[in-house]
Amino acid sequence: MTDTGRLTVESLTANPRRARKERAIRNSLGVTALVSVLISGLIIWSLFSEAWTFMVEVNWGSVWDIGWFPRRGIYDIKTLIVASFIVTGVAMIVATPLGLGAAIFLSEYARPGVRRTLKPILEILAGIPSVVLGFFALEWIAPNVVKTLFNGPAAGSLLASGIGVGVLIIPLVASISEDAMNAVPMSLREASSGLGARKMTTTVRVVIPAAISGLVASFILAVSRALGETMVVFLAGGASQTATYTDSALDGSLPMTAAMASLARGTDNVVGEGLTFQSLFFVGLVLFVMTFGLNIVANRFVQRVREQY
């Protein structure tokens, strides 16, 4: 406190009570950060320890075989990876145009009142439980879309589950993309309009390139979400606990998450049956490596193309 009665930086810093409070806050925040890191480390350790047992003891010829039959000692990982890629590809084909189109409309064309009404309605879709969308994909998308348009099976298939996952991630693509486009300065739009550009030209040639880092981030998050989705592919994937290798979206198969979920239902029964239990952790490790690598590549790309305003 100075002679004039004003608080200064020195007086505040020298206040013992204030300094103790600041140290307590700093230490508590540091503890929370360490706890989150510790939890992440424990998850990775528990995943890797059992996966390492599988990798050491498995006959690697059974890891590249005709299909996924874990109770028979056949752990064909390519069956699961290809099925996961098919589901993710179908999901992105569905979600990218719909989500990006919704984001462009909300950001560039919708009046403020319309935007305030439509955006919460769109985001309600993100609150629908994935198990509900799984039943929707199995009971409606499979017989009414896959069978009618593609002459596929009326039951579950990779195509039906991919469409269901695509519906699930539409709000994710739309919301993040719309936020990225809203972050583009209005001055860029005004400059484009001042040069005589139409609204669509401004959107395609100015706004989207300026927001490309955010758009790419939304697509990568959507891909990660599609790869990690469980209930939709578990219910609508068209396979139970085993699957033969296929590269057709009209066939039923097991993506990685569905294989883990279907096998984990009998965890108490599969312990001791060879490496069936450990194969769960091996599949989980493969999925973790894939998503982790995808996020690293995405972060590098976003940092390279990010625009600063």
Side-chain angles (χ1 to χ4, degrees), residues 86-278:
I86 291 174
V87 169
T88 302
V90 172
M92 293 305 296
I93 291 173
V94 172
T96 299
L98 294 178
L100 185 58
I104 292 173
F105 174 76
L106 291 174
S107 174
E108 305 301 315
Y109 289 91
R111 295 190 300 272
V114 175
R115 180 178 178 273
R116 286 194 298 268
T117 302
L118 289 183
K119 188 170 183 180
I121 294 175
L122 178 65
E123 292 177 345
I124 287 175
L125 188 61
I128 298 177
S130 59
V131 65
V132 175
L133 284 174
F135 278 112
F136 174 72
L138 180 63
E139 299 296 331
W140 194 88
I141 293 177
N144 293 285
V145 177
V146 176
K147 181 176 175 58
T148 302
L149 298 181
F150 302 97
N151 197 26
S157 64
L158 292 176
L159 181 57
S161 60
I163 295 174
V165 174
V167 173
L168 181 69
I169 63 177
I170 286 174
L172 180 64
V173 176
S175 180
I176 299 177
S177 298
E178 195 259 343
D179 290 339
M181 286 187 285
N182 274 336
V184 176
M186 186 59 65
S187 59
L188 295 182
R189 297 177 175 87
E190 294 171 348
S192 178
S193 299
L195 293 174
R198 294 177 300 173
K199 188 73 171 178
M200 179 54 69
T201 303
T202 299
T203 300
V204 174
R205 303 293 293 272
V206 176
V207 177
I208 291 180
I212 189 65
S213 61
L215 299 181
V216 170
S218 72
F219 298 152
I220 296 302
L221 287 175
V223 170
S224 299
R225 181 71 176 85
L227 279 174
E229 172 54 34
T230 302
M231 289 308 300
V232 176
V233 297
F234 177 63
L235 293 172
S240 178
Q241 292 190 8
T242 61
T244 304
Y245 173 80
T246 181
D247 56 7
S248 173
L250 296 177
D251 294 333
S253 189
L254 284 172
M256 288 182 283
T257 52
M260 296 174 67
S262 62
L263 191 58
R265 290 185 303 172
T267 299
D268 293 339
N269 297 324
V270 301
V271 173
E273 295 186 9
L275 297 172
T276 307
F277 178 69
Q278 285 75 17

